Amino acid sequence: MAIEFQTEGRIFTIQTDATTYQMQADTYGHLLHLYYGETAAGSMEYLLTFEDRGFSGNPWEAGEDRTYSLDALPQEYPTQGTGDFRSPAMAVRDAGGVWGCHLRYQSHSIRKGKYSLPGLPAVYAEEEEAETLEIQMEDPDTGLAVTLYYGVLPRLDVITRAVKAENRGNSPLFLEKAQSACLDFLAGTYDLIQFYGRHAMERQFQRSALGHGAAVIGSRRGTSSHQYSPFVILAEPDTSENHGLCWGLSFVYSGPFKAEAEKDQYGQTRISMGIQDEMFSYCLKPGEAFYAPEVIMSCSGQGLGRLSRNFHKTIRHHICRGRWKLTPRPVLINNWEATYFGFTGSRILEIARQAAELGVEMMVLDDGWFGKRDSDCSGLGDWQVNEEKLGCSLAQLSEQIHGLGLQFGLWVEPEMVSEDSELYRKHPDWALAVPGRKPVRSRCQLVLDFSREDVVDYIYEQISRVLRSARIEYIKWDMNRSIAEVYSAAADRQNPGEILYRYVLGLYRFLERLNREYPELLIEGCSGGGGRFDAGMLYYTPQIWCSDNTDAMDRIRIQYGTSFGYPISAVGSHISAVPNHQNGRVTPMETRGLAAMAGSFGLELDLDKITEEEKACVRRQICQYHQDWNLIHNGDYYRLAAPEEGSELAAWMFAAADGSEALAAAAALDVHGNAPASLIRLKGLRAESEYRDEEGRIYSGSGLMRAGIPLPRFREPYGSWRLRLWEVNHDENK
Ligand code: GLA
């Protein structure tokens, strides 16, 4: 068993292939965290030290023992009001407004398989692939019962955590904070790596030393946000891509979140992750339960690259689901950057016809096909096809596109409403708004109240009607603003402090139903690009439009940051026009294709405006993508050269798990005169094997990995390089 309980000392030990996690329910019933790191054997209770420390108080049960203090001991799930003055994982108030709860161990259970969470996305696994530990904690004074869930996937070095809080008392309790995971480290110096950004420039890598004073990131926007990713890494200062210890936390949730890391007064470090506690206050009536969403944790003793690969495999195989989880997805063309709102049905058909000639497999009709929607100021909520604009019905358009040999996809934004829409005129109270106050507009639109079941059900029916009306194989689910008004017109039923959480539950309910009723449908997530790029959405949508920024150079940086926590298969990525529409940069088609191929590949440009030579390049790249798809999506991903500020080169590669084939790629971020040769060292090959490239040149695996390979001299800005390798005599080498 991966999970063991040692009765003597009440010690829980979780062993994965390369890591150990240990905790102890001590004599007072406090659940103390002992260790999380590379494999270690035996009880580590001896790590705890006890000192009488000024102003660190002692629980009543400790009597005169002033050396026992929760302010200094490492804890598994610290709560406010226990004498631990660090940032708590949980804060509770009773009906009289009194803070505090004091959880103590009651019982536990260990079983095969992985727990699931009602209404929430979570890692899933076969019975034989995972184990579950549930620890029951209780506070006798308030009647709060808390279940701590641990899901273990030993082969992937992954431990998941989630929390259930139940009110077993007689009066309401208010959860003011409910994090899903918390880790206390007894000693050490750490860096926090996080991924900040903005619209069209998401997930930029930032690594900073963690000192005293909390480092807090999160979102207050109703979604996980462009600004911070709900994925963070704690790393020892000397940890690099290929060496050293690091821990990652990924939140399986798409709403506002908070991640905190702090070195405390005694040099101990606490990191936690969970839902955002600002504008959160969940009323638990007697008998009710609340679920804090899941956090996926992994630890790597072999650097950040290994940590990323653990997350890639977990998300690809145990979060993403359905028909498109592991099957090649169609290479699509999206009309947004080609036409924006200005299209007709025949223009779309013309794009599809040209795209078909290049080998594209699906035509996606973006925003503007419904209601009164010729700009972003109107029409959202009216999910009726604008046949006048299309010049035909959606079914007819789809049939014509299918006639060209392409599948058909459609853009939708179900969570939104324009004030200038039939829906809003009929149901103004369906938009989130505070009575008597003017709402904040963003992109001229308001947010529908998805915390309400009736609203979700109505929109579901509207979207479903469209899906039934034509052959539609794909939808792009967009969400184009942040939520500012946290108030529901159904206030009799909705406590404002619960709305943002219930909104996300409503969104998940919709997406779950869509997945069940349309199992063949490929859904691509989107929120102004990558504003809701998280493991929660990936449970329902196996790919997400990574950014509204389609410039190859910016995309390389955005996709670099994204690659730390999310698999390549999740990254929606397109070739677009030059000068690029977001930043005016001109990059060669070859490089645009290479950047877009490090993802779920597609096109988004006016094919009338590209040269025959560029068309030939795109045609070739689509063939390459088909040939390399398995390697790109199922292979191991390695970051070889980081596109950091000031660096001249970015390089990455994909290698089959058995080292039988590989694809390496690089792009010049900058060029200089008389530049020295750049050597990059490859990864994931078999040292003892030989490899052949597309020109028939032979290299040794050891040479490529240890000595490296020189890149050609880039003589134009933003040039790129690609090396496809096959192991020579692969079958005999096995
Ligand atoms: C968002 C998306 C874009 C496009 C537009 C349409 O910005 O990220 O790709 O679909 O909406 O309005």
Side-chain angles (χ1 to χ4, degrees):
M1 290 295 272
I3 305 167
E4 278 182 5
F5 178 67
Q6 183 189 312
T7 321
E8 193 191 336
R10 296 202 292 192
I11 290 180
F12 297 92
T13 306
I14 300 173
Q15 299 286 7
T16 69
D17 281 8
T19 68
T20 300
Y21 189 100
Q22 198 173 75
M23 54 199 154
Q24 175 182 39
D26 75 3
T27 46
Y28 302 124
H30 298 132
L31 194 60
L32 303 181
H33 177 79
L34 295 178
Y35 176 74
Y36 187 24
E38 287 187 281
T39 302
S43 153
M44 281 169 277
E45 196 185 348
Y46 67 86
L47 289 170
L48 302 174
T49 54
F50 297 88
E51 289 283 342
D52 179 359
R53 298 185 188 276
F55 285 81
S56 285
N58 322 107
W60 184 260
E61 305 92 306
E64 289 179 5
D65 179 6
R66 294 183 7 176
T67 70
Y68 186 101
S69 176
L70 291 176
D71 203 22
L73 286 165
Q75 294 182 69
E76 203 50 36
Y77 196 66
T79 56
Q80 192 181 53
T82 58
D84 176 355
F85 296 97
R86 292 167 287 185
S87 191
M90 181 171 264
V92 183
R93 291 178 86 171
D94 70 14
V98 179
W99 277 285
C101 95
H102 200 141
L103 297 172
R104 289 166 189 89
Y105 168 81
Q106 298 296 314
S107 62
H108 73 271
S109 66
I110 298 172
R111 61 184 153 89
K112 278 192 172 174
K114 164 76 180 46
Y115 66 85
S116 56
L117 301 170
L120 285 165
V123 163
Y124 64 91
E126 296 295 325
E127 197 76 353
E128 297 308 316
E129 291 173 314
E131 285 176 33
T132 292
L133 165 65
E134 287 183 24
I135 302 182
Q136 314 292 338
M137 312 281 291
E138 205 166 316
D139 174 24
D141 298 327
T142 56
L144 186 75
V146 166
T147 306
L148 303 180
Y149 294 92
Y150 298 82
V152 187
L153 276 69
R155 301 280 318 273
L156 295 173
D157 289 324
V158 153
I159 300 175
T160 67
R161 291 181 62 175
V163 175
K164 173 163 87 168
E166 280 172 281
N167 184 350
R168 297 207 183 132
N170 303 318
S171 49
L173 291 172
F174 294 86
L175 294 177
E176 305 289 337
K177 184 176 184 184
Q179 300 290 91
S180 301
C182 176
L183 288 172
D184 276 352
F185 293 83
L186 281 170
T189 305
Y190 302 98
D191 291 343
L192 180 71
I193 299 173
Q194 49 101 343
F195 304 89
Y196 70 96
R198 55 186 183 273
H199 174 232
M201 208 62 211
E202 299 87 339
R203 289 171 295 286
Q204 301 299 299
F205 178 95
Q206 178 175 293
R207 179 173 186 158
S208 29
L210 205 61
H212 295 282
V216 181
I217 63 150
S219 157
R220 306 180 178 91
R221 293 173 173 266
T223 58
S224 46
S225 88
H226 299 89
Q227 284 69 19
Y228 293 101
S229 173
F231 174 71
V232 295
I233 299 172
L234 201 65
E236 292 195 334
D238 56 358
T239 296
S240 60
E241 264 309 305
N242 305 304
H243 303 281
L245 257 177
C246 48
W247 297 260
L249 282 84
S250 180
F251 200 23
V252 190
Y253 187 63
S254 312
F257 76 99
K258 186 175 194 175
E260 301 173 81
E262 184 171 12
K263 188 178 234 185
D264 77 2
Q265 56 180 336
Y266 304 122
Q268 309 184 111
T269 295
R270 171 171 293 175
I271 183 164
S272 68
M273 184 178 254
I275 48 179
Q276 173 63 266
D277 54 341
E278 288 178 35
M279 296 209 269
F280 172 78
S281 174
Y282 195 97
C283 176
L284 269 183
K285 297 197 191 82
E288 284 184 351
F290 167 85
Y291 286 86
E294 180 162 281
V295 166
I296 306 171
M297 308 189 302
S298 186
C299 167
S300 155
Q302 292 166 41
L304 301 167
R306 172 66 184 265
L307 187 76
S308 293
R309 288 187 288 280
N310 293 348
F311 279 100
H312 293 175
K313 288 176 194 149
T314 306
I315 290 178
R316 181 142 172 77
H317 295 278
H318 299 279
I319 284 281
C320 294
R321 302 178 294 168
R323 154 97 168 81
W324 295 101
K325 169 179 165 172
L326 298 172
T327 12
R329 302 177 200 146
V331 173
L332 61 84
I333 184 157
N334 178 304
N335 71 300
W336 182 242
E337 285 200 14
T339 66
Y340 296 101
F341 290 104
F343 58 84
T344 59
S346 49
R347 180 83 179 90
I348 296 300
L349 272 175
E350 180 51 24
I351 294 175
R353 194 189 54 71
Q354 293 190 37
E357 283 171 14
L358 301 183
V360 169
E361 297 156 296
M362 176 184 275
M363 174 77 226
V364 174
L365 176 54
D366 209 279
D367 197 355
W369 56 267
F370 54 92
K372 189 182 126 205
R373 183 77 175 163
D374 289 322
S375 78
D376 55 15
C377 294
S378 59
L380 288 170
D382 296 341
W383 298 108
Q384 290 87 35
V385 182
N386 185 344
E387 296 191 355
E388 206 181 312
K389 182 168 179 175
L390 293 185
C392 60
S393 71
L394 200 62
Q396 285 163 334
L397 182 65
S398 166
E399 280 322 310
Q400 284 173 280
I401 285 169
H402 280 92
L404 296 167
L406 267 68
Q407 294 177 300
F408 180 57
L410 207 57
W411 176 97
V412 292
E413 194 177 1
E415 297 156 79
M416 294 293 150
V417 65
S418 306
E419 286 160 279
D420 185 1
S421 69
E422 292 308 316
L423 183 71
Y424 187 75
R425 281 185 277 276
K426 210 160 152 203
H427 296 289
D429 60 322
W430 283 12
L432 289 169
V434 180
R437 288 191 216 160
K438 300 284 177 233
V440 172
R441 292 191 183 114
S442 183
R443 208 193 189 202
C444 294
Q445 61 199 53
L446 303 180
V447 185
L448 283 174
D449 185 354
F450 263 39
S451 72
R452 285 174 62 167
E453 283 191 16
D454 53 347
V455 176
V456 170
D457 289 345
Y458 175 85
I459 300 293
Y460 185 87
E461 210 20 71
Q462 299 303 303
I463 300 291
S464 193
R465 214 164 33 84
V466 175
L467 291 177
R468 288 193 303 264
S469 74
R471 256 170 93 190
I472 298 168
E473 281 99 354
Y474 158 111
I475 60 167
K476 175 174 168 189
W477 179 299
D478 211 340
M479 198 288 189
N480 279 316
R481 63 160 290 179
S482 305
I483 302 176
E485 275 69 35
V486 184
Y487 190 86
S488 167
D492 51 331
R493 281 170 283 146
Q494 310 287 44
N495 160 15
E498 297 170 20
I499 285 172
L500 293 176
Y501 177 75
R502 291 190 185 278
Y503 179 97
V504 179
L505 292 189
L507 167 70
Y508 288 157
R509 196 165 64 80
F510 194 135
L511 284 165
E512 183 63 32
R513 199 169 154 198
L514 207 54
N515 269 278
R516 278 171 203 256
E517 290 181 16
Y518 299 91
E520 296 293 312
L521 190 68
L522 170 59
I523 313 175
E524 176 157 358
C526 177
S527 176
R532 196 160 58 183
F533 201 114
D534 54 66
M537 280 309 281
L538 288 169
Y539 188 71
Y540 306 97
T541 71
Q543 68 189 54
I544 299 175
W545 181 228
C546 186
S547 178
D548 272 351
N549 189 336
T550 56
D551 165 54
M553 291 299 118
D554 278 353
R555 262 308 183 107
I556 284 173
R557 294 198 166 87
I558 295 165
Q559 291 175 191
Y560 168 77
T562 306
S563 79
F564 281 84
Y566 305 97
I568 300 306
S569 58
V571 173
S573 192
H574 298 168
I575 292 178
S576 66
V578 290
N580 178 267
H581 292 194
Q582 289 78 42
N583 63 13
R585 199 193 320 259
V586 176
T587 53
M589 182 61 87
E590 199 75 50
T591 305
R592 278 179 270 158
L594 206 66
M597 271 194 266
S600 278
F601 185 53
L603 279 70
E604 182 156 346
L605 74 171
D606 187 345
L607 294 173
D608 272 341
K609 298 203 176 120
I610 67 172
T611 64
E612 284 308 312
E613 204 183 315
E614 287 176 316
K615 281 188 183 165
C617 176
V618 172
R619 202 174 285 123
R620 195 173 60 248
Q621 289 181 323
I622 293 177
C623 290
Q624 277 171 353
Y625 188 70
H626 286 308
Q627 172 199 289
D628 297 342
W629 172 83
N630 187 42
L631 184 57
I632 293 172
H633 282 213
N634 292 326
D636 287 340
Y637 179 76
Y638 294 88
R639 292 175 290 265
L640 303 180
E644 285 159 353
E645 206 57 47
S647 62
E648 291 171 11
L649 191 76
W652 60 94
M653 75 176 282
F654 308 91
D658 63 359
S660 58
E661 50 178 334
L663 167 64
L669 306 173
D670 207 353
V671 277
H672 300 289
N674 198 15
S678 307
L679 271 185
I680 56 163
R681 290 187 187 149
L682 304 193
K683 299 274 169 209
L685 305 177
R686 284 155 62 106
E688 61 282 9
S689 290
E690 285 190 323
Y691 288 86
R692 179 184 293 112
D693 72 9
E694 275 165 314
E695 266 103 55
R697 273 185 71 169
I698 304 288
Y699 310 83
S700 76
S702 53
L704 289 172
M705 290 198 292
R706 293 172 190 155
I709 182 163
L711 302 189
R713 180 125 162 248
F714 294 116
R715 289 174 197 276
E716 59 168 355
Y718 318 127
S720 57
W721 167 88
R722 175 182 188 277
L723 181 70
R724 184 72 166 90
L725 294 168
W726 290 268
E727 190 185 17
V728 179
N729 302 328
H730 168 62
D731 292 331
E732 284 127 65
N733 296 342
K734 267 200 231 164

